[in-house]
């Protein structure tokens, strides 16, 4: 287990991952990337992030539906990007 918070970036745009990743690394946060809603849901269960930055418009499962499904079993903090 790491001593730094783990943030899941869930967005279908690679440039968002690159830019957010640079900012997060500069502040000593660890991050993982999900590129669609289904992958984000799977990663929430497998890596147990401390925070998720979630895009509304995602392929396979929308950001709203990801948020709803996560909320059924978790109080994970979520920042929605629009």
């Amino acid at each position: 287990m790491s001593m730094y918070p783990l943030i899941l970036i869930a967005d279908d745009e690679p440039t968002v991952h690159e830019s957010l990743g640079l900012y997060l690394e500069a502040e000593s946060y660890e991050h993982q990337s999900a590129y669609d809603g289904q992958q984000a849901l799977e990663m929430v269960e497998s890596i147990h992030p401390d925070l998720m930055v979630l895009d509304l418009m995602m392929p396979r499962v929308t950001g709203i539906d990801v948020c709803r499904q996560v909320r059924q079993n978790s109080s994970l903090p979520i920042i929605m990007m629009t």
Side-chain angles (χ1 to χ4, degrees):
M1 180 179 274
S2 174
M3 64 187 331
Y4 299 105
L6 175 60
I7 298 174
L8 176 59
I9 302 169
D11 195 296
D12 60 331
E13 294 290 330
T15 55
V16 170
H17 292 268
E18 292 169 17
S19 58
L20 278 179
L22 290 172
Y23 288 118
L24 293 172
E25 289 169 9
E27 298 297 327
S28 298
Y29 292 101
E30 293 186 22
H31 61 91
Q32 294 286 323
S33 293
Y35 291 91
D36 65 54
Q38 184 60 44
Q39 185 182 26
L41 289 169
E42 292 167 3
M43 291 181 78
V44 165
E45 293 296 320
S46 65
I47 66 171
H48 305 287
D50 298 296
L51 171 80
M52 178 166 45
V53 178
L54 178 61
D55 184 28
L56 281 176
M57 302 297 291
M58 298 237 298
R60 296 180 67 192
V61 180
T62 68
I64 292 291
D65 288 335
V66 169
C67 186
R68 285 183 179 135
Q69 289 183 43
V70 168
R71 277 292 160 262
Q72 290 178 359
N73 302 312
S74 172
S75 60
L76 172 69
I78 299 172
I79 296 173
M80 298 294 291
M81 289 192 304
T82 61

